[in-house]
């Protein structure tokens, strides 16, 4: 019985030390520990894999649809997720987990998962759901844009990067 009590006391002391010494932080702007980042990423990935139904995007890839998705992204998403020219200061310092920066690191997720995330959001991450703010058509278009971000057609890629000569160059004479 003495060994049992000693084991319980040792377990409680060890637990208290781990909780006290582990660098948990409450503020979102603080730099999270690597274990905390790793754990949060795994939990989010597992939840999305479990929750997001595999659905077909009703829109085919075209410059027009990609440009509409890009317009939605730049007006509603780029503030947190960055754009074709730079990362978001706010998204890279004031969220935990940090907001993915799609302008510099395109997402590996398929469009159907992106659609689900944008529509429903992800609890405790700062990613709100857009289901009450935008229709499914807009959400599918932005999902298609994000899914194709690393392989955009030249005209769309130039607009994304903000190449002035492509956006407003006069015709050659």
């Amino acid at each position: 019985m003495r060994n049992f009590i000693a084991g319980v006391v040792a377990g409680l002391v060890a637990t208290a030390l781990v909780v006290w010494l582990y660098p948990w932080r409450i503020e979102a702007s603080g730099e999270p520990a690597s274990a905390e980042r790793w754990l949060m990423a795994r939990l989010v990935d597992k939840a999305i894999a479990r929750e997001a139904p595999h659905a077909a995007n009703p829109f085919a890839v075209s410059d027009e649809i990609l440009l509409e998705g890009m317009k939605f992204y730049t007006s509603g998403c780029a503030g947190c997720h960055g754009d074709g020219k730079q990362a978001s200061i706010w998204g890279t310092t004031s969220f935990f987990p940090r907001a993915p920066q799609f302008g510099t690191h395109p997402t590996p997720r398929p469009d159907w998962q992106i659609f689900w995330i944008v529509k429903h959001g992800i609890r405790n991450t700062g990613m709100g759901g857009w289901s009450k703010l935008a229709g499914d058509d807009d959400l599918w278009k932005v999902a298609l844009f994000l899914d194709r971000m690393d392989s955009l057609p030249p005209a769309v890629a130039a607009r994304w990067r903000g190449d002035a000569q492509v956006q407003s160059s006069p015709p050659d004479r």
Side-chain angles (χ1 to χ4, degrees):
M1 182 64 144
R2 187 183 312 195
N3 288 342
F4 175 76
I5 292 173
V8 169
V9 170
L12 290 172
V13 169
T15 301
L17 281 172
V18 167
V19 170
W20 180 63
L21 293 174
Y22 190 76
W24 287 102
R25 303 188 90 165
I26 191 73
E27 75 274 7
S29 60
E31 194 57 40
S34 59
E36 194 176 359
R37 284 192 310 265
W38 179 86
L39 178 62
M40 187 64 178
R42 295 312 160 280
L43 292 173
V44 168
D45 287 345
K46 285 192 174 291
I48 291 168
R50 181 183 66 243
E51 298 289 329
H54 192 151
N57 193 323
F59 295 97
V61 176
S62 71
D63 285 9
E64 179 186 350
I65 295 297
L66 291 171
L67 287 169
E68 288 179 32
M70 181 178 73
K71 181 179 178 185
F72 184 94
Y73 179 88
T74 56
S75 66
C77 311
C80 296
H81 295 287
D83 61 26
K85 293 173 254 165
Q86 63 187 16
S88 162
I89 300 297
W90 189 38
T92 57
T93 61
S94 300
F95 284 88
F96 180 72
R98 301 292 186 242
Q101 298 302 297
F102 299 128
T104 55
H105 297 91
T107 180
R109 296 191 189 283
D111 62 352
W112 52 275
Q113 284 186 348
I114 298 166
F115 171 81
W116 187 90
I117 291 167
V118 175
K119 183 170 183 165
H120 299 285
I122 302 174
R123 185 184 314 205
N124 299 324
T125 67
M127 177 62 202
W130 285 76
S131 63
K132 303 248 188 306
L133 302 171
D136 282 1
D137 285 358
D138 287 331
L139 303 182
W140 276 115
K141 289 173 186 176
V142 76
L144 188 62
F145 170 71
L146 286 167
D147 182 48
R148 300 290 196 275
M149 191 173 283
D150 59 352
S151 61
L152 292 170
V156 178
R159 293 276 301 269
W160 174 240
R161 290 188 312 269
D163 292 348
Q165 69 268 21
V166 174
Q167 288 182 346
S168 60
S169 62
D172 291 335
R173 293 182 189 197

